[in-house]
């Protein structure tokens, strides 16, 4: 596997107008100790990245639309040849914002939708009116011809709505729907007891596999659920079918589960390079080293790319190359990013053989 950066999430601010229960950066409107970097710093980082690679760059947050210069950053990246994208909760989207999105060259927008109705979504987002804001944003994106995907995060409090949220995303005209299985980091640590159980996890992934067979399907993908790729292979083999993978032109290809530090990373507002959006352990800081040096030489990234170092069931698993287990979830639960995926129920064949031999 070639380990080159294909997709970078960039936290351009930690400020946000919502206070969501699962937020990886514990964002609020006033964040102490994590000020926004300057526009000149943003330009320098883009120059640093394009001197080495041409990844998709997603302007994220917090809520990136709280930065007045977000579209200047996007335009600069576009002019440098990067495929610039935007991740928003949707509540600040207006006709004027849509025009600026188009003018800046942003290629696609991701929109958050965590419930099929306002009661569930607004509870998840801790803000009355958040659901209406998301629905309005989707309407405006369609009106202005802006391509958008929908990201949905799930815990026990909203897991029963998964099929309904998928259908709503489809009705809204999204290009793709990404089903995120919560990783307990940032404010998400407070909902550890709300994480979906192993048993329900398997049922949801089975539902997703069956749902993907629909003829008029939009592009869908489970995210932060790497063992879906194991489920996919197992089910296809059982049913005598070939695995069909569709990809989004702004994605990493969808050929493997956990991609943290392998094809993707996050650069936070302080300049730290993290393996992914939910993996709160820096590999280095772009204010101290070049992005290339961090990507190629950090011990953390080297560990994540060496599957032989993985422990427990992941270390023995026949699906480690296509799944890999969620490294961020292992780090959150065990404090060791090389440990086994804590929410996978699969028993590797090698461990079964060793048990039988004893």
């Amino acid at each position: 596997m070639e380990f080159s950066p294909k997709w970078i999430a960039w936290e351009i601010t930690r400020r946000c107008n919502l206070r969501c229960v699962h937020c990886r950066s514990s964002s609020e409107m006033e964040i102490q100790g994590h000020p926004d970097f300057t526009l000149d710093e943003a330009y320098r980082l883009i120059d640093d990245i394009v001197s080495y690679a041409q990844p998709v760059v997603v302007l994220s947050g917090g809520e990136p639309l709280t930065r007045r210069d977000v579209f200047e950053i996007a335009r600069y990246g576009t002019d440098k040849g990067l495929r610039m994208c935007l991740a928003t909760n949707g509540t600040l989207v207006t006709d004027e914002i849509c025009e600026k999105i188009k003018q800046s060259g942003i290629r696609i927008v991701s929109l958050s939708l965590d419930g099929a109705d306002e009661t569930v979504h607004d509870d998840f987002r801790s803000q009355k009116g958040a659901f209406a804001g998301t629905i309005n944003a989707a309407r405006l994106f369609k009106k202005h011809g802006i391509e958008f995907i929908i990201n949905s995060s799930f815990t026990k409090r909203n897991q029963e709505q998964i099929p309904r949220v998928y259908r709503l995303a489809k009705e809204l005209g999204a290009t793709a729907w990404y089903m995120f299985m919560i990783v307990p980091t940032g404010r998400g640590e407070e909902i550890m007891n709300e994480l979906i159980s192993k048993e329900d996890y398997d049922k949801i992934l089975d539902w997703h596999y069956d749902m993907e067979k629909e003829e008029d399907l939009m592009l869908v993908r489970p995210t932060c659920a790497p063992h879906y790729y194991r489920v996919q292979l197992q089910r296809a083999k059982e049913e005598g079918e070939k695995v069909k993978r569709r990809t989004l032109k702004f994605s990493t290809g969808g050929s493997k589960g956990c991609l943290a530090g392998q094809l993707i990373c996050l650069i936070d507002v302080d300049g730290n390079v993290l393996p992914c959006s939910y993996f709160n352990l820096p590999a280095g800081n772009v204010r101290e080293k070049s992005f290339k040096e961090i990507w190629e030489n950090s011990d953390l990234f080297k560990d994540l790319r060496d599957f032989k170092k993985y422990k427990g069931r992941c270390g023995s698993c026949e699906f480690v190359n296509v799944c890999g287990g969620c490294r961020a979830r292992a780090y959150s639960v065990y404090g060791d990013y090389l440990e086994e995926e804590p929410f996978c129920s699969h028993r590797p064949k090698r461990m079964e053989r060793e048990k039988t031999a004893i």
Side-chain angles (χ1 to χ4, degrees):
M1 180 177 177
E2 180 187 352
F3 300 114
S4 58
K6 302 292 186 185
W7 184 95
I8 298 174
W10 186 8
E11 183 187 65
I12 62 171
T13 183
R14 226 169 243 200
R15 287 178 289 114
C16 187
N17 60 319
L18 301 183
R19 198 175 186 277
C20 306
V21 297
H22 65 300
C23 183
R24 57 153 296 277
S25 62
S26 301
S27 292
E28 299 180 55
M29 272 310 291
E30 298 300 328
I31 295 294
Q32 301 298 321
H34 301 281
D36 294 352
F37 47 79
T38 67
L39 186 59
D40 284 340
E41 285 181 301
Y43 290 166
R44 284 198 295 272
L45 179 54
I46 290 172
D47 290 341
D48 182 27
I49 291 170
V50 298
S51 71
Y52 172 56
Q54 288 284 320
V56 171
V57 175
V58 181
L59 302 179
S60 183
E63 170 51 59
L65 293 180
T66 61
R67 273 197 73 139
R68 294 180 179 177
D69 57 5
V70 56
F71 298 113
E72 293 175 69
I73 296 172
R75 184 73 253 175
Y76 191 82
T78 296
D79 291 343
K80 290 290 182 174
L82 293 173
R83 290 167 291 170
M84 302 298 290
C85 305
L86 179 75
T88 176
N89 61 43
T91 58
L92 301 179
V93 175
T94 62
D95 284 302
E96 182 183 5
I97 290 293
C98 287
E99 288 300 328
K100 289 181 177 180
I101 287 173
K102 295 176 73 173
Q103 292 166 9
S104 69
I106 286 173
R107 306 282 289 278
I108 197 166
V109 179
S110 68
L111 187 60
S112 301
L113 179 67
D114 304 314
D117 54 64
E118 63 179 2
T119 301
V120 175
H121 180 86
D122 289 0
D123 172 65
F124 209 81
R125 296 271 155 181
S126 300
Q127 179 68 52
K128 188 172 179 57
F131 180 78
T134 293
I135 301 302
N136 183 59
R139 178 187 65 81
L140 289 172
F141 291 152
K142 291 294 288 183
K143 173 184 174 182
H144 289 269
I146 297 170
E147 194 170 5
F148 68 97
I149 66 175
I150 284 181
N151 293 335
S152 302
S153 299
F154 295 102
T155 65
K156 288 179 180 178
R157 73 169 65 187
N158 63 341
Q159 71 178 82
E160 295 301 321
Q161 288 209 332
I162 289 175
R164 289 179 59 196
V165 172
Y166 158 64
R167 289 194 294 271
L168 179 55
K170 197 173 178 180
E171 291 168 7
L172 290 172
T175 295
W177 178 64
Y178 282 25
M179 180 182 76
F180 281 75
M181 308 302 271
I182 285 292
V183 177
T185 188
R187 195 177 293 126
E189 291 178 356
E190 299 171 15
I191 57 172
M192 183 74 79
N193 63 343
E194 287 193 40
L195 299 181
I196 295 170
S197 69
K198 287 184 183 181
E199 295 74 22
D200 286 349
Y201 218 132
D202 286 343
K203 291 176 183 177
I204 291 167
L205 296 183
D206 274 326
W207 168 82
H208 199 288
Y209 179 83
D210 292 329
M211 177 266 289
E212 282 198 63
K213 295 181 180 179
E214 295 180 16
E215 289 185 10
D216 60 341
L217 180 74
M218 66 197 298
L219 177 65
V220 294
R221 184 159 301 143
T223 306
C224 300
H227 32 305
Y228 178 70
Y229 293 88
R230 183 257 304 166
V231 170
Q232 192 180 54
L233 289 173
Q234 288 175 316
R235 288 284 305 276
K237 184 177 180 180
E238 289 170 4
E239 298 168 18
E241 299 177 349
K242 288 186 177 180
V243 172
K244 297 179 182 179
R245 293 194 177 109
R246 298 164 60 214
T247 61
L248 183 68
K249 56 183 174 290
F250 304 103
S251 77
T252 54
S255 59
K256 182 182 178 292
C258 186
L259 302 171
Q262 299 172 35
L263 298 180
I264 71 171
C265 69
L266 167 83
I267 301 175
D268 73 14
V269 74
D270 300 319
N272 295 309
V273 180
L274 313 178
C276 77
S277 299
Y278 302 101
F279 199 143
N280 195 24
L281 188 64
N285 191 292
V286 291
R287 287 170 173 163
E288 300 167 359
K289 299 178 181 178
S290 70
F291 177 78
K292 176 182 179 180
E293 184 177 355
I294 295 168
W295 182 266
E296 293 186 348
N297 299 322
S298 80
D299 290 337
L300 172 56
F301 283 0
K302 286 179 180 179
D303 281 347
L304 296 173
R305 297 165 189 169
D306 187 353
F307 304 148
K308 292 179 181 178
K309 287 188 175 182
Y310 289 11
K311 302 174 183 178
R313 287 176 296 124
C314 286
S316 300
C317 189
E318 63 272 26
F319 295 104
V320 67
N321 290 322
V322 295
C323 170
C326 178
R327 298 298 99 211
R329 196 174 285 116
Y331 182 62
S332 293
V333 174
Y334 301 122
D336 183 347
Y337 54 80
L338 295 175
E339 261 296 351
E340 66 185 25
E341 158 69 60
F343 283 80
C344 176
S345 61
H346 178 62
R347 185 79 178 173
K349 291 180 179 178
R350 178 174 147 193
M351 295 185 85
E352 288 298 319
R353 287 196 300 268
E354 291 173 350
K355 182 179 178 181
T356 303
I358 294 173

